[in-house]
Amino acid sequence: MKKVDLHTHSAASDGTYSPSELIRYAHEIGLSAIALTDHDTISGLSEAIEEGDKYPDLEVIPGIEYSTVRNGKDVHVVGLYINYKDDDFKRSLQSFIDSREERNRKMCKKLTDAGMPITYEELVENNPGAVITRAHFGRLLLAKGYTTSIKEAFDRFIGDHCPCYVPREKITPEMAIEQIISGGGIPILAHPVLYGLGRDAMDELVHSMKDAGLVGIEAIYGTYTAQDERDMKSIAAKYNLLISGGSDFHGGNKPHIDLGCGTGRMVVPYEVVEKIKEYRK
C-alpha cells in the first residue's frame, strides 16, 4: 500500500529536522507523498520542494498549519496545496505572524513575573529563522533549569489554561480558512479529537467551520485510537468533508511520534491524496 503523511513540521517552526532532512527521511521510509505544514510560516517550503525534486516517486505538498482561537481554545487549521509563492498570500500571512509574536512577548512577561526570566530576543536568537512556538519556550525553560522536562513546562506553565499561557488574539478559524482558500489551498480541520470537546460541541465546531468553507478533516492522526478514527470519519461523512491525515511529526520535540505512522498504528493511504486532487480539479 502506498502511504502518505499530510501533517508534518520542520525546523522552520517547531520541528527538529530541516526541511530537506524531513523530505529525505520521507523518501527513506517509502512515503509516496508528504505535506510540510509548519506553524504559521511557509519559510521551509522552497527548500522542501527543491529537495523533493530529487525523488520522482515522492510528492511534496506545500502546506501550512494555522494556529487560531475559538471560544478561548486553540483550534488548528491545515492548508494543503497552498500557492506559497503568491505575493498577496505572503502579505496576508504576515498578520498571523504578528499575532504570534505579540502572544509570545506576553508569555515572556508572564514567565518573568513568575520568577523564570525569559526574553523574546533569547527565543529568537536561539532559534534563528524559526517561527517561535510553545515548544521553543519549553526547550528554553528546560535549558535554563526552570523545569526538568519540556512536558513539565507544558503541564505547569505554558499548556492551555496554565498560569503563563496566553491565547492568540483575534485570529479565528474562519480567518484561516478564508486565507487558505484565497491562497488556492484546501482547508483541513487539524486533529479535532485533541480539543477535548464533547459530541455536541464538536458537531457545532465542524458545522460552523463547514459553513465558512472547510473542505476536510483529519480523521486519521498520529495519536488517534481506532474509535477516534471511526468518530472523525463519521463526522466527515455527516458534513461531506474530505478525509485527511498525518502524524504531526516534530522529530526530537515529539520523539514518541514517527513520520508516516505516528505512535505506531497510523496509516494514511495514498487514496486520501487522490481524493483531495479530484476535489482541486
Side-chain angles (χ1 to χ4, degrees), residues 25-45:
Y25 185 34
H27 179 258
E28 287 171 9
I29 65 175
L31 291 182
S32 296
I34 180 174
L36 176 57
T37 55
D38 277 318
H39 294 285
D40 301 333
T41 184
I42 55 175
S43 64
L45 290 179

Side-chain angles (χ1 to χ4, degrees), residues 1-8 29 31 33-35 191 218-226 229 233 243-249 256-270 272:
M1 177 194 293
K2 295 170 66 176
K3 297 189 296 184
V4 306
D5 194 330
L6 304 182
H7 187 158
T8 71
I29 65 175
L31 291 182
I34 180 174
H191 44 60
E218 279 186 350
I220 310 170
Y221 183 70
T223 62
Y224 280 1
T225 65
E229 192 170 311
K233 286 181 177 179
I243 286 172
S244 186
S247 62
D248 206 357
F249 179 74
H256 61 296
I257 293 175
D258 201 1
L259 188 67
C261 64
T263 54
R265 67 171 302 275
M266 186 197 81
V267 176
V268 187
Y270 186 75
V272 167

